[in-house]
Amino acid sequence: MVDKLLSTPAQRVLEKALGASGLAHEVIAHNLANVETPGFKRSEVLFQARLASALAALEGSDGSLKGARTNARHLPIGEAPSLDAVEPEVVVRAETSLRPDGNNVDLDSEMVKLSENQMLYETLAQLVRMKLTSLRSAITEGRR
């Protein structure tokens, strides 16, 4: 029963987004650490677009045909992808080069991405905290 309370779709999305944001922080830090390394190519994490597309498919707002399975033997028609299947992916961006030594890390751009990612992580952590606080309040019936 407790598992059902803690593994809601919203909670799973928050958990995956927090993990992806943590991974993005590591990747950005790695890029910054190699800003002066000749030939280094920056990396980035692909996650937000994949999550948005999976959520749109779940809501049915992507324009695709959806079928309702009322029996396990029915064929699935346009089933939405599972949120569990959405994973962050680290990709190396080797198609550009900003300097003659082959390095493509832009310090200012990476610092902006680091700042944005930090704000995203803090927001996601606050949402998780609020969800758990409301669950705790419901369990204790509003008493402290």
Side-chain angles (χ1 to χ4, degrees), residues 27-106:
V27 168
I28 295 168
H30 183 68
N31 291 343
L32 288 170
N34 288 288
V35 72
E36 294 295 328
T37 304
F40 180 81
K41 300 298 182 185
R42 64 178 292 279
S43 299
E44 64 184 36
V45 175
L46 302 179
F47 178 73
Q48 290 181 353
R50 292 176 179 186
L51 179 62
S53 128
L55 289 173
L58 281 174
E59 293 173 356
S61 61
D62 64 345
S64 63
L65 178 65
K66 303 280 188 269
R69 291 179 73 182
T70 56
N71 188 306
R73 295 181 298 188
H74 290 168
L75 292 174
I77 301 173
E79 274 192 3
S82 168
L83 289 176
D84 297 329
V86 179
E87 293 293 331
E89 178 186 2
V90 178
V91 295
V92 177
R93 295 297 184 193
E95 58 271 358
T96 61
S97 205
L98 296 177
R99 301 189 315 237
D101 68 358
N103 189 310
N104 68 351
V105 178
D106 179 19

Side-chain angles (χ1 to χ4, degrees), residues 126-140:
Q126 180 67 25
L127 288 171
V128 169
R129 193 175 309 117
M130 288 169 44
K131 178 136 177 74
L132 293 176
T133 299
S134 67
L135 185 60
R136 180 176 161 197
S137 178
I139 291 171
T140 61

